[in-house]
Amino acid sequence: MTKFYEVKRRDGAARTGKLSVGENHVQTPLMLRVDTISKKKGELEVFNVENQNLDDLSSEEAWNAPRGAVILPEVHPMFTKVKEAIPSLFVDFSVLSFASAMLNSPRDFVRRIIDARNAIPPDVALWVPAIATAENATLMFYMGVDVIDDTNAVIKGCQGIYLMEDGEVRVSELDELPCNCHICASLSIDELKQKNNKERASLIAKHNTLVLDKEVKKARACIRAGNLREYVEMRVRSSPFLTAMLRILDSEEEAYFERRTPVARNRCMMANTMESLKRIEVKRFASRVLERYEPPARKILLILPCSARKPYSTSPSHTRFIDAIAGYRGQIHELILTSPLGVVPRELEAVYPAAFYDIPVTGYWDAEEREWVSSCLRAYLERKMKNYDVVVAHLTGAYREICASVAKDSGIEIAYTCEEDEGTTSKEALNRLKERIAGLCDDKQRLSGFKMKKSMIKAMADFQFGLGAGKQLLGKEERERGERLKINGKFPSYKLGSKGDVLARLVPAYGLLTLTVKGARRIENLLSSYKVEIGDFVPRGSILAPGVVNASEQIRVNDEVVFRGEKAFGVGRAKMSGWEMVESRKGMAVQVREVEEIE
Ligand SMILES: [Zn+2]
């Protein structure tokens, strides 16, 4: 088993990890310094699999240093052979050779790194040598590169090229040193220019290395925090080459990132750029609303605008909407129109990312944003319109325009309760909403607190585990036999219980439902996509990858999973994707929350 590299945290394809080199434990993403890659025993050694005597690897001594393998570009005939050979070699890292050829085109850059990452096991570190700059390093980590080096930074220093976070400039063109590193703080630009060639090169190289190292640290912090994507969207703006790479990744490598993107996070997702619309989290949410959501049986569909505060129903505007329709809420299904998520049913307002996103609000929507949100609303109405008798929209501005164009395309009649350019929370608009709804309903029908909580838990269970899970968790049949369900807690921290046992909890910090063992047993037959089969042991605290016998492909980081082995049954949170649990030889696979021993 490899013992020199372990992935610790994941944020999309990016990871942080621990690489042990000799006595030192270093963190990845890592910048290796060319002047410290020595040949001394116990330090980093790279070997080419083609030249290795495989018998040597069985000796104890062979394991005293981390082992690496060279991955050749896909054009080389050895590429597929290496792909087969690597898993059996138990290497700790792989080096992508001829990386400089990737700099020819954004597509080559993307292709080679993704191919390399796909060719090696997930718990092997990927080193892309000699091409890193402060500008491109973060995007490489975003794609799954773990190790870079400062070769390029040092060479540029020798060429008199001064690296900055967002590009590079010749020192001869600078009037001032735009940096506070200890090199730049110790002398002026004139003093630097007056140094002899060798000294000047060395000083610029040191600055270049420091700038690159700072970028690596920044990327590591973002991965730990779970906001690397936001940083990448910001970072690629410095060059068309990098922006092109991100667009290629978003449009052509969706499957690669989908398999690696956490299902929930405990932080806000900021959608500040056009690329934010293409995020996996956005596409996943939109598709789950269509595939894993069944609206409650109510005859009026009311479309509302989103609010800055989340969950929406805690915002001042939604508090007023809810007040206006309170008497009839039992007959109304509320759907929130928003960018970039498209449509958010009220019952799903607390899930990730519906309760966890922020956008710049100016009233202006660009064409691509309109098209995306329209497509979400159109798809929703096409599938779910049969549930409703009538559609009311309390919208103005771009929201109303989007709604009107979708209604026209789909041949659906929509009643509007706001005049053009009237605020949705104005007294007149709210009165109109109230009157229109009253006119559509025969009698008053309030929505009881219990019913609202129940429909929220049902929708969230379906959304998380698949259609049917919610109904079974709430246990309609059993309740008819005298079981009384209880939902306690203050919105949205609900706790579902029955006969004194807790079945599930809504965890607002992640926008997820967590199950207890009792809750999991109730729906175990429906959890086949979230199942981890473990070995013959009772896990305490965590399940490590070697203890996993099999795991559902569908599982993503932070998914709620059930695990079962000969001796134990329990629930926990996935710390790696299901396919990764199967392919990895180390690292935490599941954080155990509750376990029951099987006699
Ligand atoms: Zn500097």
Side-chain angles (χ1 to χ4, degrees):
M1 184 187 296
T2 172
K3 48 181 180 171
F4 294 99
Y5 186 61
E6 184 176 347
V7 179
K8 294 287 186 187
R9 290 189 80 122
R10 293 157 182 82
D11 185 13
R15 317 94 68 75
T16 62
K18 192 176 90 178
L19 186 66
S20 306
V21 184
E23 298 288 299
N24 301 320
H25 303 296
V26 287
Q27 295 179 62
T28 67
L30 169 71
M31 181 198 74
L32 288 171
R33 297 187 57 155
V34 279
D35 56 1
T36 59
I37 303 174
S38 78
K39 302 272 186 296
K40 274 188 278 169
K41 198 167 165 61
E43 294 199 2
L44 216 52
E45 288 175 35
V46 182
F47 68 86
N48 191 325
V49 278
E50 284 176 83
N51 307 328
Q52 281 297 308
N53 176 357
L54 297 184
D55 293 338
D56 283 354
L57 290 174
S58 56
S59 73
E60 193 64 30
E61 204 182 336
W63 293 102
N64 287 342
R67 289 288 167 185
V70 174
I71 321 173
L72 301 165
E74 71 281 10
V75 287
H76 194 285
M78 266 307 287
F79 190 75
T80 49
K81 286 190 194 166
V82 175
K83 188 173 172 174
E84 287 157 19
I86 287 168
S88 61
L89 279 175
F90 296 148
V91 296
D92 303 287
F93 63 90
S94 288
V95 187
L96 182 59
S97 64
F98 305 117
S100 57
M102 308 191 309
L103 300 173
N104 295 332
S105 86
R107 191 163 261 107
D108 281 354
F109 206 136
V110 165
R111 193 67 278 131
R112 296 222 171 135
I113 291 183
I114 302 271
D115 283 349
R117 192 66 268 177
N118 278 331
I120 61 177
D123 52 353
V124 169
L126 176 62
W127 175 4
V128 176
I131 61 164
T133 61
E135 205 183 1
N136 69 20
T138 296
L139 191 58
M140 286 206 274
F141 300 142
Y142 177 73
M143 294 162 72
V145 173
D146 303 290
V147 183
I148 57 167
D149 55 68
D150 65 349
T151 310
N152 196 23
V154 171
I155 292 171
K156 296 233 166 178
C158 296
Q159 295 168 337
I161 297 170
Y162 185 91
L163 293 187
M164 294 180 294
E165 285 163 10
D166 53 358
E168 57 185 44
V169 61
R170 299 204 73 83
V171 166
S172 55
E173 291 167 25
L174 284 173
D175 294 324
E176 194 183 0
L177 292 173
C179 171
N180 281 329
C181 79
H182 73 267
I183 302 292
C184 300
S186 71
L187 80 179
S188 70
I189 181 73
D190 292 331
E191 286 165 334
L192 180 65
K193 283 177 179 170
Q194 281 156 16
K195 299 273 179 195
N196 68 42
N197 285 352
K198 198 178 166 190
E199 266 186 90
R200 190 170 58 240
S202 158
L203 289 167
I204 304 169
K206 279 182 185 153
H207 153 84
N208 286 352
T209 297
L210 287 168
V211 173
L212 182 57
D213 195 38
K214 187 177 158 197
E215 189 62 21
V216 175
K217 286 180 177 148
K218 173 78 187 168
R220 268 204 311 258
C222 289
I223 297 168
R224 283 195 203 102
N227 62 356
L228 186 69
R229 170 72 192 203
E230 281 88 338
Y231 187 56
V232 164
E233 287 178 11
M234 210 157 75
R235 235 40 218 84
V236 298
R237 289 289 171 271
S238 64
S239 91
F241 188 96
L242 297 174
T243 304
M245 275 179 67
L246 183 61
R247 291 189 184 162
I248 291 166
L249 289 170
D250 283 343
S251 56
E252 295 173 20
E253 301 300 336
E254 192 180 336
Y256 176 84
F257 285 98
E258 207 290 326
R259 299 180 88 207
R260 292 167 170 83
T261 301
V263 79
R265 290 193 177 89
N266 59 352
R267 66 174 301 128
C268 181
M269 177 183 99
M270 278 180 276
N272 288 328
T273 74
M274 195 185 90
E275 284 82 16
S276 309
L277 293 174
K278 312 274 186 202
R279 284 181 70 139
I280 295 298
E281 293 87 340
V282 171
K283 294 183 203 171
R284 190 188 272 156
F285 181 85
S287 83
R288 285 193 181 184
V289 167
L290 297 179
E291 308 294 336
R292 296 186 175 190
Y293 173 72
E294 200 52 59
R298 296 179 203 156
K299 65 177 190 174
I300 302 167
L301 173 66
L302 174 61
I303 307 176
L304 295 167
C306 58
S307 61
R309 193 184 295 173
K310 321 278 183 318
Y312 309 117
S313 57
T314 62
S315 72
S317 60
H318 278 247
T319 308
R320 290 184 183 176
F321 302 151
I322 291 167
D323 275 351
I325 60 172
Y328 306 93
R329 219 176 164 205
Q331 300 181 52
I332 300 169
H333 181 231
E334 296 155 45
L335 187 71
I336 294 99
L337 194 62
T338 185
S339 174
L341 296 183
V343 292
V344 181
R346 174 69 77 200
E347 297 76 21
L348 294 177
E349 66 173 344
V351 308
Y352 182 89
F356 297 80
Y357 71 98
D358 205 356
I359 48 164
V361 180
T362 59
Y364 173 78
W365 294 46
D366 66 36
E368 199 155 342
E369 199 175 14
R370 278 173 189 258
E371 181 43 42
W372 165 249
V373 174
S374 302
S375 72
C376 293
L377 179 61
R378 196 177 301 121
Y380 181 89
L381 291 176
E382 270 167 22
R383 292 208 187 193
K384 323 278 186 189
M385 194 54 214
K386 59 182 185 301
N387 292 286
Y388 313 109
D389 292 346
V390 53
V391 184
V392 177
H394 191 68
L395 305 168
T396 59
Y399 292 98
R400 180 172 166 151
E401 287 162 21
I402 287 169
C403 199
S405 90
V406 170
K408 197 173 158 216
D409 293 349
S410 322
I412 293 168
E413 208 173 300
I414 295 184
Y416 296 93
T417 48
C418 291
E419 298 290 332
E420 296 279 354
D421 298 325
E422 182 183 45
T424 52
T425 53
S426 70
K427 207 173 161 190
E428 295 74 23
L430 290 170
N431 277 336
R432 210 174 296 117
L433 171 65
K434 195 173 181 175
E435 280 162 23
R436 173 70 74 150
I437 294 290
L440 290 168
C441 300
D442 313 326
D443 302 306
K444 284 203 169 185
Q445 193 180 330
R446 290 184 176 273
L447 185 62
S448 74
F450 180 75
K451 213 169 175 182
M452 199 197 72
K453 292 174 192 174
K454 212 177 92 176
S455 61
M456 195 164 158
I457 288 175
K458 175 181 176 287
M460 283 184 75
D462 283 349
F463 190 78
Q464 221 171 301
F465 305 116
L467 277 179
K471 195 173 169 190
Q472 197 165 314
L473 183 66
L474 292 161
K476 193 166 179 259
E477 297 77 12
E478 283 188 51
R479 193 158 46 87
E480 280 164 2
R481 279 187 260 123
E483 181 189 34
R484 284 178 66 96
L485 277 179
K486 272 199 172 147
I487 303 173
N488 297 323
K490 198 169 165 251
F491 175 86
S493 306
Y494 296 144
K495 194 167 78 177
L496 173 72
S498 164
K499 296 175 184 165
D501 295 321
V502 177
L503 301 175
R505 287 184 178 85
L506 203 164
V507 183
Y510 281 87
L512 287 172
L513 270 190
T514 61
L515 298 170
T516 60
V517 163
K518 288 234 159 56
R521 283 197 191 283
R522 265 167 104 102
I523 58 170
E524 198 193 347
N525 62 320
L526 294 174
L527 291 176
S528 58
S529 298
Y530 296 94
K531 205 167 237 176
V532 179
E533 196 187 318
I534 61 167
D536 182 15
F537 62 96
V538 180
R540 304 283 174 211
S542 60
I543 298 168
L544 302 178
V548 174
V549 177
N550 209 349
S552 314
E553 209 285 332
Q554 181 75 50
I555 296 168
R556 300 288 173 260
V557 171
N558 286 339
D559 251 325
E560 183 72 4
V561 295
V562 291
F563 55 86
R564 182 180 274 288
E566 268 180 47
K567 292 190 174 156
F569 175 82
V571 287
R573 180 171 290 174
K575 301 313 283 180
M576 54 173 79
S577 291
W579 60 272
E580 209 175 340
M581 293 180 192
V582 176
E583 290 178 29
S584 296
R585 293 152 296 174
K586 64 190 312 182
M588 193 200 287
V590 179
Q591 195 173 24
V592 175
R593 188 172 330 98
E594 196 188 344
V595 60
E596 254 180 32
E597 285 186 43
I598 297 172
E599 297 301 321

